[in-house]
Amino acid sequence: MAMLSLQAVHSPLQAPQAEIDKYLKLYEQGWDKIRAQRYARQVEMGLVPEGLKLPRAAPDREWARLSDEERRAAAKKMAVFAAMLDNADQQIGRLREHLRKTGELDNTVFIVMSDNGADAYDLSQLNLPMKLWYRTNFALGIDRMGGPGSYVHYGQDWAEVSNTPFALFKGTSAEGGMRVPFIVHFPGRVPAGGTTDAFAYVTDFLPTVLDIAGIPLPGDDYNGQALLRPTGKSLLPLMEGRAERVHGEDEAIGFEGSGGEAIFMGDYKLTRNGPPFGDGTWRLFNLRDDPTESRDLSTVEPERFKKMLAEVEAYHQRAGVVLPEAG
């Protein structure tokens, strides 16, 4: 097994200038138009349903209301991001070409995934001492963005473009913070070109690669030493078309982090987020019908809401969750 953990496209965003130049004109359209174009393409590809209202955490940030210099800087940031991703894709292409030349390409399983949704962070969010530190140690001017010595984040508006059509971004329990691509190339076993919207969770990764390799999951002990058994399930039956789901409809899967929490059961998600992007209130969504989490069903389906709320406490006990104090 080989694991390639690319620093791209994490901040600081950097890329060769020639790659950045390829994308400068594209992003001068602004985040509103680019997001609408992406959503239309997703619908055309059958990835998401049509008719969704794209959520915006900062609806007042209209591209047309920015100054010329603000638009130039914002377009440059996204161009650097795109160039960095383009370059990462080229490096994966080099690996793929090496496997083709050595005759191992069709004997190799590729799995491409991300660790979280897009990052909304921006240097403008820093306090004054940190702003001065960045200004002293890095090149922050527009012309040097993405080059050696620069430090670029692309901010909330472009993060929402990257997370189209989902709500919010990294650091929240909204789908924009949690739902990521999972792309598999497995010649002879997984049909090419297919998609699935079946729920799966990051803990399913280990059981999946063990299943692919023909290695059974560990038991409860090894040579007399107690083990914590992996909690996920293999995705291989789903990927090969032998199953429609990975997890049962009554199987509760919990998450907490950065002030956000979620419980997933079947098509449903119970979730809450703390400030600044939430008020700490639990809300219930059907992700199959409402992937942008726009219709709270907590009062529409009170029994399901109550049942899933009980699963929150069960998850806390099971996982030893210690929540941060208020504030």
Side-chain angles (χ1 to χ4, degrees):
M1 177 178 173
M3 182 170 172
L4 182 59
S5 298
L6 297 172
Q7 199 271 344
V9 282
H10 199 284
S11 58
L13 305 176
Q14 296 181 349
Q17 187 61 48
E19 304 289 348
I20 297 172
D21 291 342
K22 287 163 52 176
Y23 293 100
L24 279 174
K25 289 293 182 185
L26 173 63
Y27 294 111
E28 288 176 354
Q29 299 176 74
W31 39 66
D32 302 314
K33 287 186 178 179
I34 295 290
R35 197 175 194 212
Q37 291 167 8
R38 289 196 180 185
Y39 175 58
R41 185 162 176 248
Q42 290 171 342
V43 171
E44 184 181 334
M45 296 172 68
L47 295 175
V48 294
E50 60 183 335
L52 298 178
K53 183 179 179 181
L54 303 184
R56 280 283 272 145
D60 58 327
R61 290 272 295 171
E62 293 181 29
W63 186 261
R65 293 170 60 183
L66 302 182
S67 68
D68 289 345
E69 186 169 358
E70 285 174 328
R71 284 197 294 266
R72 181 169 166 250
K76 179 72 177 285
K77 289 177 182 179
M78 190 58 177
V80 174
F81 177 90
M84 194 177 193
L85 183 58
D86 187 325
N87 188 266
D89 198 35
Q90 293 176 41
Q91 307 317 312
I92 295 171
R94 290 176 61 210
L95 173 60
R96 189 178 184 280
E97 180 62 15
H98 169 74
L99 292 169
R100 187 190 66 79
K101 288 181 177 179
T102 58
E104 293 292 341
L105 183 59
D106 288 340
N107 190 37
T108 302
V109 181
F110 274 85
I111 299 177
V112 181
M113 62 182 291
S114 176
D115 57 341
N116 46 249
D119 185 7
Y121 196 72
D122 189 271
L123 295 183
S124 64
Q125 298 169 334
L126 294 170
N127 58 30
L128 183 58
M130 288 302 294
K131 283 182 179 177
L132 292 174
W133 184 81
Y134 271 94
R135 209 169 288 169
T136 302
N137 290 279
F138 298 99
L140 301 181
I142 295 176
D143 292 334
R144 294 189 63 182
M145 276 183 185
S150 70
Y151 206 110
V152 178
H153 299 270
Y154 71 171
Q156 175 178 311
D157 302 283
W158 288 124
E160 291 190 305
V161 171
S162 292
N163 288 332
T164 304
F166 306 119
L168 299 180
F169 17 71
K170 176 184 175 180
T172 72
S173 62
E175 290 298 277
M178 298 184 67
R179 193 186 296 209
V180 298
F182 191 87
I183 304 165
V184 179
H185 175 261
F186 193 174
R189 296 284 292 277
V190 177
T195 61
T196 176
D197 59 2
F199 173 81
Y201 197 62
V202 66
T203 48
D204 300 326
F205 182 83
L206 174 61
T208 300
V209 294
L210 290 178
D211 195 6
I212 289 171
I215 299 171
L217 276 173
D220 294 320
D221 66 84
Y222 178 75
N223 287 347
Q225 181 177 354
L227 299 179
L228 292 175
R229 182 187 291 268
T231 58
K233 292 184 177 180
S234 173
L235 302 177
L236 191 56
L238 174 76
M239 295 191 298
E240 291 184 324
R242 295 182 283 113
E244 294 184 358
R245 287 183 176 271
V246 181
H247 297 276
E249 294 191 49
D250 289 327
E251 186 177 346
I253 296 171
F255 162 86
E256 62 82 27
S258 302
E261 292 191 84
I263 289 287
F264 298 89
M265 289 183 71
D267 294 333
Y268 288 83
K269 175 184 180 182
L270 182 69
T271 181
R272 69 173 177 176
N273 280 295
F277 299 111
D279 58 7
T281 300
W282 287 102
R283 292 177 171 86
L284 178 67
F285 303 105
N286 183 321
L287 295 182
R288 184 174 294 276
D289 298 336
D290 179 27
T292 57
E293 300 169 286
S294 62
R295 299 187 299 276
D296 179 13
L297 303 177
S298 57
T299 58
V300 179
E301 300 191 43
E303 290 303 312
R304 187 185 300 275
F305 179 74
K306 183 179 178 181
K307 178 181 179 180
M308 293 183 69
L309 206 55
E311 291 291 350
V312 172
E313 184 57 34
Y315 169 66
H316 285 181
Q317 296 298 321
R318 185 168 69 249
V321 172
V322 179
L323 294 173
E325 295 179 11

